[in-house]
């Protein structure tokens, strides 16, 4: 019931609100200063999710005025019933906040930007502020996940990786699986939400197309679910990690050096590690074995029968040996501000495959040219020393250095000289001495977010013929 005259009503434009865009409804009251309950009922306020440019989401309030208590309560009750009918929207969340991520901003991001939206949407939260590395993992192992609709992580890629690993590991424990060897893991029981508060925030960029805490929060509140492939990283004797992407060689050595200089500010230590590793650029000698992807194809007769097209013979492992500067294994595109097309632009969030990107030994100048291409629209793989494969399994077997070579190694090769080869798994450093076996498991986890492939057309091409 607008208070203006009828002429203003005629000039007003009609606005349609779709309930799928609404995430909260509240009774609107006028209260005196200090008054916490009661007050004069003025109407209801509807809170909706607004999609702005560049994938950014924001919230806005629409006020509907009505001084009738009966009308307001009736509208409020019916709108709440509609909102409660949306299946994927969480009512209760387990939240992990890593206070040491990036510039120690995660706590501020959560309590200033995220928590108010959760409260507005009537979502109950159980918050754990992590105190040490592995804290979230230990909490998840003991957590009764069935009491929550989802798990949320506020932090950087390393924090998200730990929570995703813990969520999947808990699922295997609850299913009675042997956690040392898991050829066919069970799916995570609840979705995972990612609130970016780190340096690169690769998973958040890949899910939302942007680093924006409010956008990430609204995807969680609205219950936007995206199934995502996950990899298992194992040695011959045990499971190392569940993860989405990994680097061996340059990408892992850079992280190892950055971790060694934790006393430096985040951006400085990463820049320092990058330049120092580049200055001491040396390849790793190893053997790569991989199983090419088996691609489902529709039958040429147009019926519903499915046939399989094999890249090579079925279950035929391919082997390549040599000196490699970097090896990337990625089940998701891995978008970030430094690589807007993604570190692996030819893979997808949930197509059941991994991108294997192998950079063979080359000059420092050519390697830098390859790295620079990630920040541009040009194909970063269009070099004679870069090979890409679409695979479902990979084994990486480093060659141990001889005693003479070990003595000649610089600091960056010290880990290799000891037989411990650094791996960068989702921004987390892991050191392993033996063969690492990587398998992809299709749609093993649900993440809150959207498929950014749907937001813009893909420019991926195939040169296999």
């Amino acid at each position: 019931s607008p208070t203006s005259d009828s002429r203003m009503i005629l000039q007003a434009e009609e606005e349609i609100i779709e309930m799928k865009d609404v995430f909260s409804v509240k009774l609107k009251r006028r209260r005196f200063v200090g008054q916490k309950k009661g007050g004069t009922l003025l109407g209801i306020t509807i809170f909706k999710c607004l999609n702005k440019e560049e994938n950014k989401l924001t919230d806005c309030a629409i006020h509907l005025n009505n001084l009738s208590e009966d009308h307001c309560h009736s509208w409020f009750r019916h709108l709440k019933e509609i909102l409660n009918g949306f299946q994927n929207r969480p009512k209760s969340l387990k939240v992990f906040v890593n206070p040491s991520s990036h510039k120690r901003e995660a706590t501020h991001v959560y309590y200033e930007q995220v928590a108010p939206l959760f409260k507005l949407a009537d979502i109950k939260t159980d918050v754990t502020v992590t105190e040490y590395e592995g804290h979230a993992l230990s909490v998840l192992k003991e957590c009764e996940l069935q009491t929550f609709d989802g798990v949320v992580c506020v932090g950087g890629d390393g924090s998200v990786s730990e929570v995703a690993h813990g969520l999947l590991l808990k699922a295997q424990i609850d299913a009675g699986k042997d956690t040392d060897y898991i050829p066919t893991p069970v799916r995570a029981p609840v979705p995972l939400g990612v609130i970016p508060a780190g340096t690169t925030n690769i998973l958040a960029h890949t899910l939302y197309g942007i680093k924006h805490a409010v956008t990430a929060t609204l995807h969680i509140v609205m219950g936007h679910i995206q199934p995502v492939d996950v990899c298992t990283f194992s040695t011959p004797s045990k499971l190392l990690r569940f993860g989405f992407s990994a680097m061996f060689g340059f990408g892992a050595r850079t992280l190892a050096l950055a971790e060694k200089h934790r006393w430096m500010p985040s951006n400085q230590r990463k820049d320092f590690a990058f330049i120092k590793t580049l200055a001491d650029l040396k390849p790793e000698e190893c053997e790569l074995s991989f199983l090419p992807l088996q691609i489902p194809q529709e039958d040429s007769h147009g019926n519903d029968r499915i046939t399989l097209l094999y890249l090579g013979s079925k279950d035929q492992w391919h082997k390549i040996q040599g000196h490699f500067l970097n090896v990337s294994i990625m089940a998701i595109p891995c978008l970030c501000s430094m690589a807007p097309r993604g570190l692996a632009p030819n893979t997808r969030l949930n197509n059941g495959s991994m991108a294997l990107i192998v950079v063979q030994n080359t000059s420092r100048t050519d390697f830098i040219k390859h790295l620079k291409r990630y920040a541009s629209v040009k194909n970063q793989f269009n070099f004679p020393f870069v090979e890409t494969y679409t695979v479902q399994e990979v084994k990486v077997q480093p060659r141990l250095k001889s005693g003479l070579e070990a003595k000649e190694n610089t600091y960056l090769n010290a880990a290799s000289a000891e037989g411990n080869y650094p791996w960068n798994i989702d921004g987390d450093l892991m050191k392993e001495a033996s063969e690492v076996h990587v398998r992809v498991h299709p749609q093993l986890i649900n993440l809150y977010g959207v498929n950014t492939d749907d937001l813009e057309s893909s420019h991926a091409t195939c040169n296999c013929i």
Side-chain angles (χ1 to χ4, degrees), residues 94 96 136-146 148-153 159-175 179 182 185-194 230 241-242 244 444-448:
K94 175 65 192 171
F96 292 95
L137 178 60
S138 62
V139 170
L140 279 166
K141 281 183 179 179
E142 305 299 324
C143 186
E144 296 296 330
L145 288 174
Q146 64 269 22
F148 300 103
D149 298 316
V151 174
V152 172
C153 178
S159 310
V160 175
S161 174
E162 181 183 326
V163 172
H165 172 67
L167 190 56
L168 283 160
L169 197 62
K170 173 65 171 170
Q172 313 316 308
I173 293 168
D174 289 349
T179 53
I182 313 174
V186 298
R187 296 185 88 245
V190 294
L192 171 62
V194 180
V230 180
R241 193 85 174 205
F242 286 98
F244 303 96
L444 196 62
I445 195 170
N446 282 338
L447 298 180
Y448 288 109

Side-chain angles (χ1 to χ4, degrees), residues 174-304:
D174 289 349
K177 295 261 185 181
D178 176 6
T179 53
D180 282 338
Y181 179 70
I182 313 174
T184 52
V186 298
R187 296 185 88 245
V190 294
L192 171 62
V194 180
I195 307 291
T199 310
T200 50
N201 303 288
I202 281 174
L203 200 56
H205 270 280
T206 306
L207 286 167
Y208 317 126
I210 190 173
K211 179 194 173 182
H212 190 239
V214 170
T215 295
T217 306
L218 285 171
H219 277 298
I220 296 167
V221 167
M222 301 300 287
H224 296 157
I225 297 291
Q226 180 60 50
V228 177
D229 300 339
V230 180
C231 304
T232 48
F233 299 87
S234 312
T235 65
S237 58
K238 66 171 183 174
L239 171 75
L240 296 174
R241 193 85 174 205
F242 286 98
F244 303 96
S245 64
M247 283 186 279
F248 175 79
F250 179 80
R253 287 163 180 254
T254 303
L255 179 63
L257 190 54
E259 289 295 312
K260 189 101 174 166
H261 292 75
R262 270 274 170 190
W263 52 271
M264 295 173 72
S266 176
N267 285 338
Q268 285 183 26
R269 74 168 175 265
K270 291 194 174 182
D271 289 344
F272 164 77
F274 180 84
I275 293 167
K276 180 83 168 104
T277 311
L278 203 54
D280 297 327
L281 188 66
K282 287 185 180 176
E284 287 287 6
E285 184 182 358
C286 62
E287 177 182 284
L288 302 176
S289 309
F290 60 89
L291 193 58
L293 176 69
Q294 302 169 9
I295 306 175
Q297 293 250 325
E298 288 187 9
D299 190 86
S300 57
H301 296 296
N303 56 29
D304 293 332

Side-chain angles (χ1 to χ4, degrees), residues 247-249 252-253 256 415-416 420-424 429-432:
M247 283 186 279
F248 175 79
R253 287 163 180 254
S416 304
N420 289 321
Y421 291 85
W423 277 78
N424 178 344
L429 181 66
M430 301 200 76
K431 290 182 179 178
E432 286 307 318

Side-chain angles (χ1 to χ4, degrees), residues 39-216:
T40 307
L41 190 60
L42 302 177
I44 63 172
T45 302
I46 292 171
F47 296 90
K48 66 175 281 193
C49 176
L50 201 62
N51 198 341
K52 300 183 83 175
E53 293 180 5
E54 296 179 345
N55 309 327
K56 189 177 285 188
L57 301 183
T58 187
D59 61 297
C60 70
I62 297 161
H63 304 285
L64 303 178
N65 302 324
N66 193 318
L67 299 179
S68 163
E69 290 258 353
D70 288 343
H71 284 172
C72 289
H73 283 291
S74 178
W75 272 74
F76 177 77
R77 189 172 61 253
H78 284 297
L79 290 175
K80 286 288 281 186
E81 283 176 7
I82 294 170
L83 291 182
N84 289 334
F86 290 109
Q87 294 299 315
N88 291 330
R89 296 194 179 180
K91 305 284 192 302
S92 175
L93 293 169
K94 175 65 192 171
V95 180
F96 292 95
V97 180
N98 180 0
S100 358
S101 285
H102 191 37
K103 298 176 182 176
R104 303 185 180 277
E105 62 189 14
T107 309
H108 171 77
V109 166
Y110 178 72
Y111 287 106
E112 295 291 324
Q113 300 180 53
V114 180
L117 284 170
F118 284 165
K119 184 178 179 183
L120 193 59
D122 297 320
I123 297 172
K124 295 177 181 176
T125 54
D126 179 6
V127 181
T128 297
V129 179
T130 57
E131 297 171 6
Y132 53 87
E133 188 177 344
H135 188 180
L137 178 60
S138 62
V139 170
L140 279 166
K141 281 183 179 179
E142 305 299 324
C143 186
E144 296 296 330
L145 288 174
Q146 64 269 22
T147 61
F148 300 103
D149 298 316
V151 174
V152 172
C153 178
V154 187
D157 289 320
S159 310
V160 175
S161 174
E162 181 183 326
V163 172
H165 172 67
L167 190 56
L168 283 160
L169 197 62
K170 173 65 171 170
Q172 313 316 308
I173 293 168
D174 289 349
K177 295 261 185 181
D178 176 6
T179 53
D180 282 338
Y181 179 70
I182 313 174
T184 52
V186 298
R187 296 185 88 245
V190 294
L192 171 62
V194 180
I195 307 291
T199 310
T200 50
N201 303 288
I202 281 174
L203 200 56
H205 270 280
T206 306
L207 286 167
Y208 317 126
I210 190 173
K211 179 194 173 182
H212 190 239
V214 170
T215 295

Side-chain angles (χ1 to χ4, degrees), residues 362-412:
T362 187
S363 67
R364 186 180 291 105
T365 304
D366 282 344
F367 185 63
I368 291 171
K369 285 179 183 175
H370 161 65
L371 294 178
K372 281 185 173 180
R373 285 273 185 95
Y374 279 98
S376 72
V377 295
K378 292 181 180 179
N379 183 355
Q380 63 262 42
F381 310 131
N382 191 21
F383 292 96
F385 54 87
V386 180
E387 296 175 7
T388 61
Y389 306 90
T390 303
V391 302
Q392 54 190 357
E393 287 188 53
V394 182
K395 293 177 183 176
V396 180
Q397 176 73 64
R399 298 292 180 197
L400 292 171
K401 300 282 190 298
S402 67
L404 181 62
E405 287 176 306
K407 288 180 183 176
E408 294 174 352
N409 279 330
T410 61
Y411 160 72
L412 286 169

